[in-house]
Amino acid sequence: AQSVTQPDIHITVSEGASLELRCNYSYGATPYLFWYVQSPGQGLQLLLKYFSGDTLVQGIKGFEAEFKRSQSSFNLRKPSVHWSDAAEYFCAVGGSSNTGKLIFGQGTTLQVKP
Amino acid sequence: ETGVTQTPRHLVMGMTNKKSLKCEQHLGHNAMYWYKQSAKKPLELMFVYSLEERVENNSVPSRFSPECPNSSHLFLHLHTLQPEDSALYLCASSQVLAGAKNIQYFGAGTRLSVL
């Protein structure tokens, strides 16, 4: 079955510390992978995406993610977290199907301590 | 700045009311989506439209009725809802349905409360 797992429901880091949010997926074909961020009361904003090629992808706001096929993972990282990064983060997987369906993880809530 | 606009942002309705949610995209996209976001649950895809034709109906109850009059507008008509339908309803659009251009852009959502 196709699925996305974000093992950490809630993470707290200090401002300036590094961050890694985990994402594991199960998908039968070549996956397209996405990270979205949602601030309170807002919709989802695309941080970055992976379709093919270089397995380390750069996104907006200083985020990056690495696709590891052998581990079925697409973890999100940021070297130094800012207070404004506090939000909910969603990993999603899609593919070449003709329905445009994305499968989302349950999300990880990031809290940033001053 | 989002190219996908949803109205209203908040809606409170009784179980016997009829209301509609509106979504408009200014991105020139051909595909539009409705999602339901409930607390502590992953986003649930409800409907997908491509070039104004419905291509996915993800086992959604008939009290939710979508309408896509053109590629820029998407509506979700609501009637005789249940309290468990209270959620954030998100609209999204993408250039095409499949492949590397299926990057979905989301609106800010409508927060729906059913009393």
Side-chain angles (χ1 to χ4, degrees):
Chain A
Q2 300 169 349
S3 66
V4 175
T5 302
Q6 294 180 243
D8 304 304
I9 296 174
H10 193 107
I11 282 184
T12 300
V13 300
S14 298
E15 191 168 15
S18 64
L19 172 70
E20 182 170 31
L21 302 182
R22 296 183 290 165
C23 173
N24 293 98
Y25 67 90
S26 173
Y27 198 77
T30 301
Y32 297 152
L33 294 156
F34 307 83
W35 274 100
Y36 284 87
V37 61
Q38 185 179 32
S39 298
Q42 298 298 315
L44 278 66
Q45 181 184 21
L46 181 67
L47 282 176
L48 47 77
K49 59 192 182 293
Y50 171 80
F51 292 138
S52 65
D54 193 345
T55 56
L56 184 64
V57 293
Q58 303 297 319
I60 62 171
K61 305 185 180 186
F63 285 93
E64 66 178 25
E66 186 171 13
F67 171 57
K68 293 186 177 179
R69 185 185 298 276
S70 62
Q71 298 177 20
S72 297
S73 69
F74 188 57
N75 294 347
L76 182 71
R77 300 194 293 250
K78 186 169 185 178
S80 177
V81 169
H82 188 263
W83 64 266
S84 60
D85 293 324
E88 191 158 19
Y89 292 79
F90 294 92
C91 181
V93 64
S96 56
S97 77
N98 61 358
T99 63
K101 187 170 184 175
L102 289 183
I103 299 165
F104 283 85
Q106 287 195 287
T108 297
T109 300
L110 173 65
Q111 184 178 1
V112 180
K113 294 189 302 184
Chain B
E1 178 64 33
T2 177
V4 181
T5 304
Q6 290 186 244
T7 55
R9 292 295 310 276
H10 302 273
L11 179 62
V12 179
M13 59 186 290
M15 288 190 283
T16 58
N17 292 157
K18 290 184 179 180
K19 296 286 185 183
S20 295
L21 310 185
K22 179 183 176 182
C23 176
E24 183 175 2
Q25 58 96 359
H26 313 276
L27 301 169
H29 289 168
N30 291 318
M32 296 187 77
Y33 311 77
W34 279 116
Y35 287 87
K36 177 183 179 182
Q37 186 178 30
S38 305
K40 303 189 188 307
K41 292 176 68 175
L43 269 74
E44 301 171 57
L45 179 65
M46 301 175 72
F47 301 104
V48 181
Y49 276 82
S50 176
L51 297 172
E52 298 119 61
E53 284 194 28
R54 191 188 312 179
V55 297
E56 178 95 5
N57 176 352
N58 213 24
S59 302
V60 179
S62 60
R63 57 186 184 268
F64 295 91
S65 175
E67 178 190 1
C68 188
N70 55 63
S71 59
S72 298
H73 294 86
L74 185 65
F75 295 88
L76 188 62
H77 304 299
L78 317 171
H79 63 98
T80 58
L81 294 191
Q82 304 298 311
E84 59 265 29
D85 297 322
S86 299
L88 182 67
Y89 288 85
L90 292 165
C91 174
S93 71
S94 64
Q95 187 172 351
V96 295
L97 264 190
K101 292 185 178 178
N102 177 20
I103 300 172
Q104 295 183 24
Y105 296 87
F106 285 79
T110 295
R111 173 69 63 186
L112 174 66
S113 297
V114 181
L115 305 179

